[in-house]
Amino acid sequence: MLTSVYFEHNSYELSAKSKKKLDSLAALKTNLTFRIFGNCDPSGSTEYNKILSEHRANTVYEYLQGKIGNNIQLVSSTGLGEEKQINDNTTEQLREKNRRVDLFIEQKYAPGQKITRRMLPSFLDTQISQMKVNGTYSLPDVNFIGNRHVWLPNGAAQLVRLLKILKENPSLEIELQGHICCDYENFDGKDIDLGTFNLSWTRANAIKEYLEKQGIEPSRIRAKGLGHLNPAVYPELTEADQVRNRRVELVLIKK
């Protein structure tokens, strides 16, 4: 999982809210590793932001160090400067999201051990009358090329089926949720075609744009990126595991 704490402009002082969140993380009882990454908005110079991000990461590291038990290992503390912007910084509210420390929390697994999430029902093969609002459904065979928002050839026929369902049921509204594999150094992956660090969102949005071009009203479709926070298989030990995690799932918003 990933969680984040946030900072005021030009500051690396922890707020009371951030301390409360870190206290709750330190109290976890599972065998875990924490990796800590500091970030900045781009308002200062590159050199200054690198130092500020390191201070933010170290502040979190040192605070946790005095709180955790033997079951938690602090693996690293890294300042990334302004490298990992998760939005375009066009408003103060968006800039606040980049003034953060990300904590990547991983359960310790034995060599070769992996977990597999239960298979979701297929949106394409479930009767509309049997679907539940806010239920999550799979789009079978709709998987993506690594580091790209381009789906594999097998997905094309399935997306035609999705389009047909939406056209035949004009009251349906959906949310497309994108996922990535493998990149656990960041919340989200890098889309090599766009140069952005929001790969899970660009995958969901690619399907949204496809549906809109085929005549589905934009108001009926949302796109959301969930990064690597909900893998179908973890850790990915084979290429098939990686492909399975490069996916988009669907939440039924209204029927």
Side-chain angles (χ1 to χ4, degrees):
M1 64 172 283
L2 166 107
T3 191
S4 302
V5 294
Y6 299 92
F7 294 82
E8 295 295 326
H9 176 68
N10 200 31
S11 171
Y12 54 92
E13 182 178 348
L14 289 169
S15 66
K17 181 178 180 180
S18 293
K19 289 179 180 179
K20 184 176 180 180
K21 177 181 280 192
L22 296 176
D23 288 344
S24 67
L25 296 176
L28 295 172
K29 301 303 182 184
T30 311
N31 290 328
L32 302 168
T33 60
F34 288 7
R35 286 178 290 160
I36 300 167
F37 296 91
N39 300 274
C40 294
D41 69 31
S43 58
S45 69
T46 300
E47 295 79 9
Y48 180 82
N49 285 338
K50 175 69 172 175
I51 294 170
L52 180 57
S53 70
E54 291 171 352
H55 284 319
R56 286 174 174 168
N58 289 337
T59 295
V60 171
Y61 185 99
E62 290 169 4
Y63 185 85
L64 286 170
Q65 201 169 35
K67 299 277 187 175
I68 58 174
N70 294 332
N71 60 303
I72 296 176
Q73 180 184 3
L74 302 180
V75 175
S76 61
S77 172
T78 306
L80 299 175
E82 57 190 67
E83 291 180 18
K84 307 298 183 186
Q85 304 298 299
I86 59 173
N87 56 55
D88 61 11
N89 292 287
T90 51
T91 68
E92 174 58 21
Q93 185 177 23
L94 292 176
R95 288 190 289 274
E96 288 175 355
K97 297 297 184 183
N98 285 319
R99 299 196 290 263
R100 70 192 193 279
V101 164
D102 294 328
L103 294 98
F104 295 92
I105 301 171
E106 183 176 1
Q107 185 174 344
K108 295 179 183 177
Y109 291 92
Q113 179 187 6
K114 68 180 179 182
I115 58 171
T116 302
R117 200 181 73 174
R118 68 175 180 84
M119 297 291 290
L120 294 170
S122 166
F123 185 83
L124 306 178
D125 298 310
T126 303
Q127 294 183 4
I128 302 297
S129 61
Q130 300 300 312
M131 291 183 182
K132 297 180 179 179
V133 172
N134 296 322
T136 304
Y137 298 87
S138 67
L139 293 175
D141 297 324
V142 181
N143 302 98
F144 290 76
I145 298 171
N147 302 308
R148 302 185 68 192
H149 60 272
V150 178
W151 51 80
L152 294 168
N154 288 349
Q158 303 293 53
L159 292 178
V160 170
R161 292 179 64 196
L162 173 60
L163 175 65
K164 183 173 184 290
I165 291 170
L166 293 177
K167 285 188 172 182
E168 291 176 349
N169 299 273
S171 64
L172 292 183
E173 296 180 13
I174 61 172
E175 179 176 88
L176 298 165
Q177 297 183 343
H179 302 267
I180 66 169
C181 83
C182 314
D183 186 353
Y184 297 100
E185 300 294 334
N186 305 290
F187 164 67
D188 214 332
K190 183 176 182 179
D191 186 318
I192 61 173
D193 296 310
L194 301 177
T196 57
F197 284 89
N198 58 348
L199 179 59
S200 64
W201 180 83
T202 61
R203 285 174 173 167
N205 194 58
I207 296 177
K208 180 178 188 291
E209 290 182 342
Y210 162 77
L211 295 171
E212 289 174 359
K213 287 178 182 177
Q214 302 303 317
I216 304 300
E217 286 294 323
S219 60
R220 297 176 60 194
I221 315 167
R222 307 175 194 171
K224 185 176 182 179
L226 296 184
H228 65 249
L229 297 184
N230 198 12
V233 182
Y234 181 80
E236 298 97 342
L237 302 179
T238 66
E239 174 62 22
D241 292 341
Q242 295 179 16
V243 170
R244 185 174 169 187
N245 282 339
R246 300 178 190 130
R247 70 197 192 281
V248 168
E249 294 171 345
L250 185 152
V251 175
L252 180 61
I253 303 299
K254 181 182 177 181
K255 70 174 184 177

